[in-house]
Amino acid sequence: MSGETTLSFLCRIAERYGLEEKALLSCWQWRGHRPRHDGGGLRADAEVLLDSAGRRALAGLSGVGEEALAWALPSWGREDPKLDGAGDGRGRGLWRVGGAVVGPVAFGCRLCTARRAGGPARVVRYAQRWERVCVAHGRWLLDADAEQELEYLDLRGLPDVVAAQRRWFGVARRAVRVGAEPGDVFGLAYAVVARWWEGAYEWEQEEIWPRRLHQVAGGNAGGDLEWWRVVGRDAVIFPEVVAVADALLDPGMRKLVWADSGGERPRPLSADGEFCRRLGERVGREWLGPLIAVDHGGPLIAWMGTVVRLCRRPGVRPGLYGRFDENLWWVRQEHQPSTMAAGLRVLSREKKAPGSGTNWRAVVPAEQQFVITNLLGEAEEQLQQLRGVQVGTTADVARHMLEGLSRGTGLLDQVLLRVMVAAVNAGVGLEEVARWAGLSADEAAEVLRVAGEAEEQ
């Protein structure tokens, strides 16, 4: 199977010969140990690297020429210094994790495997996140690096997700035509929409994603909503990721960013900007624009800032440039979406310890985490605007700086209050919270009391 891991191919050979995997693997001399999860289970995304003798042995067992195997198996022929040195005559192999060898690893479609190989069998293959839909059988193929049993999600009731897979190929061709790497464009769009997903708890008008999530969960995700939100996220948001990628490639959309920034007369991006309004429409949510326009700490605003800076370069006509700067599609590390495996590990540690020992992400609701992060981003954006403003009359400079500082400190005060409330609700002692906030216990108690009354109103 094209893109298959070498270990997956070995396991299928063992099955066809009627052998246990362990018996077939004993044909090679192994370095290291087979990768396992923290819980002790074998990792489905484990991979093996073989030396030249080991590759010849595998070609002989399978009856497939080395040239064909080199085409089908991405890890074939990859060398490692640990395979050097004298051996006992057998081929040698080295255990690795697939993600560290080639890239993301996912399960293959068993129905496609049965059609190609003559019988059903589990296949593990390298697959990027933009090629996870099996269009023929309506399945979303899940990451293979997580400690969970599902191999796929059923998409037969979600034709919009399957249609997005077909649409992606056209978006990828557009990216290539303008000199951008399709994977980089997808990566930015994926980061943007995954951040929306984290904040969607507060979107009262959102109806599309809950419907899709319940569908992939077999009809009802309510029994274990947080687990399904982690496992189902990439499939549920895929149509929006493709739509956002298409929009970010559109020169007309970039012109709107330039216009929203004030063009040659710069002004802060506002909540009623045309670009964000149009982007909301393109993902089927006319109400979304004002919400994403104020997410100042996110990857979308960072991309918009890059577009504006490119437009203001000398010699570049605003809004009409036809090339991509090398950093236009760069996504900061803190904006990279967490993987399914990482999300499930966080969930598994939810009840680790009471009070101060709890995990922040487990005890603080996701919507509160999003609000805190968003407020911090807004405060950072507000304070960054004060750099280099000390030019002009004393009154103008003082007014601009004091108003900006007042807005920035007001946002930070909101963050301070929300973090205090979250910590106390999670079981952290009031005295500890007060000390960290620079308040007395009585002052902290009064602040929390006022905040509680305001929330009730």
Side-chain angles (χ1 to χ4, degrees):
M1 301 291 288
S2 177
E4 189 173 4
T5 66
T6 302
L7 178 62
S8 172
F9 184 54
L10 271 167
C11 293
R12 290 201 297 117
I13 291 174
E15 186 176 355
R16 292 301 294 270
Y17 275 116
L19 297 172
E20 292 186 2
E21 293 176 14
K22 187 181 297 185
L24 183 62
L25 292 174
S26 65
C27 296
W28 288 266
Q29 179 185 9
W30 294 99
R31 297 288 177 88
H33 299 281
R34 187 166 182 170
R36 293 177 178 271
H37 291 291
D38 294 340
L42 295 175
R43 293 186 61 134
D45 66 331
E47 178 60 294
V48 295
L49 300 181
L50 304 176
D51 65 4
S52 56
R55 293 194 294 271
R56 286 195 298 272
L58 178 55
L61 280 170
S62 65
V64 180
E66 289 195 48
E67 187 174 323
L69 291 174
W71 172 84
L73 308 178
S75 67
W76 187 267
R78 301 214 173 197
E79 303 288 347
D80 191 286
K82 294 181 180 179
L83 291 174
D84 297 337
D88 61 0
R90 291 182 297 169
R92 287 173 294 184
L94 174 68
W95 288 106
R96 298 288 299 275
V97 173
V101 176
V102 176
V105 182
F107 292 104
C109 175
R110 289 188 181 235
L111 297 178
C112 291
T113 305
R115 186 177 60 188
R116 291 280 305 278
R122 188 179 81 168
V123 167
V124 181
R125 58 188 298 271
Y126 295 99
Q128 295 292 344
R129 300 194 185 281
W130 55 82
E131 51 183 0
R132 295 297 180 87
V133 177
C134 174
V135 176
H137 301 108
R139 292 180 169 185
W140 178 272
L141 306 174
L142 291 168
D143 291 345
D145 62 346
E147 194 170 9
Q148 60 87 35
E149 297 181 354
L150 293 181
E151 294 183 13
Y152 69 91
L153 300 176
D154 192 341
L155 302 178
R156 287 177 294 178
L158 296 173
D160 47 347
V161 180
V162 177
Q165 181 68 81
R166 295 190 178 95
R167 185 184 178 194
W168 165 250
F169 298 121
V171 176
R173 287 193 293 271
R174 283 189 60 193
V176 171
R177 284 198 298 269
V178 298
E181 281 290 334
D184 293 341
V185 177
F186 183 92
L188 176 60
Y190 178 49
V192 168
V193 181
R195 185 175 174 90
W196 295 353
W197 173 259
E198 294 302 320
Y201 270 121
E202 295 191 328
W203 295 355
E204 296 181 359
Q205 295 171 278
E206 178 57 47
E207 298 178 352
I208 300 174
W209 283 346
R211 176 182 58 80
R212 286 189 198 147
L213 185 62
H214 288 302
Q215 183 73 34
V216 299
N220 185 6
D224 200 351
L225 180 61
E226 289 303 316
W227 191 89
W228 280 108
R229 274 182 57 82
V230 173
V231 173
R233 179 195 65 185
D234 289 358
V236 171
I237 69 175
F238 186 62
E240 286 73 23
V241 173
V242 174
V244 169
D246 189 37
L248 299 184
L249 285 166
D250 187 345
M253 293 293 284
R254 297 198 299 276
K255 291 179 186 178
L256 295 179
V257 174
W258 174 247
D260 289 343
S261 73
E264 297 297 343
R265 304 185 66 180
R267 64 171 181 264
L269 295 169
S270 65
D272 59 352
E274 183 68 15
F275 169 79
C276 288
R277 185 188 68 78
R278 191 75 60 83
L279 185 61
E281 293 175 352
R282 291 181 71 148
V283 296
R285 296 162 174 83
E286 291 76 8
W287 46 267
L288 183 59
L291 297 179
I292 61 179
V294 296
D295 183 17
H296 297 293
L300 180 63
I301 300 297
W303 177 84
M304 294 168 68
T306 303
V307 170
V308 172
R309 288 191 296 274
L310 284 174
C311 288
R312 288 179 180 153
R313 283 182 177 177
V316 179
R317 295 181 64 191
L320 298 178
Y321 60 95
R323 63 180 184 82
F324 288 85
D325 186 84
E326 60 180 356
N327 290 322
L328 185 61
W329 306 107
W330 175 65
V331 180
R332 299 176 186 173
Q333 183 64 37
E334 60 268 26
H335 292 158
Q336 297 282 353
S338 61
T339 63
M340 181 176 73
L344 292 178
R345 284 195 296 270
V346 169
L347 289 179
S348 70
R349 296 194 297 264
E350 280 191 1
K351 298 182 179 178
K352 186 177 181 180
S356 301
T358 54
N359 184 285
W360 174 268
R361 292 190 62 182
V363 296
V364 178
E367 60 268 28
Q368 288 299 320
Q369 296 176 39
F370 180 79
V371 171
I372 290 171
T373 301
N374 202 29
L375 287 171
L376 284 172
E378 289 185 46
E380 179 185 9
E381 183 79 11
Q382 185 65 54
L383 295 176
Q384 282 182 346
Q385 292 179 12
L386 299 180
R387 293 182 176 180
V389 301
Q390 300 185 57
V391 177
T393 67
T394 302
D396 287 342
V397 172
R399 178 182 60 80
H400 190 77
M401 292 191 69
L402 290 173
E403 289 179 349
L405 287 169
S406 178
R407 286 192 290 269
T409 54
L411 291 166
L412 291 175
D413 285 342
Q414 293 183 52
V415 175
L416 177 69
L417 177 60
R418 288 180 178 275
V419 173
M420 288 176 62
V421 171
V424 171
N425 289 343
V428 181
L430 178 62
E431 293 77 10
E432 289 181 289
V433 172
R435 186 173 68 254
W436 298 333
L439 302 172
S440 68
D442 290 341
E443 290 172 333
E446 178 63 18
V447 168
L448 294 173
R449 183 187 66 79
V450 173
E453 291 177 355
E455 187 167 333
E456 289 177 1
Q457 295 174 358

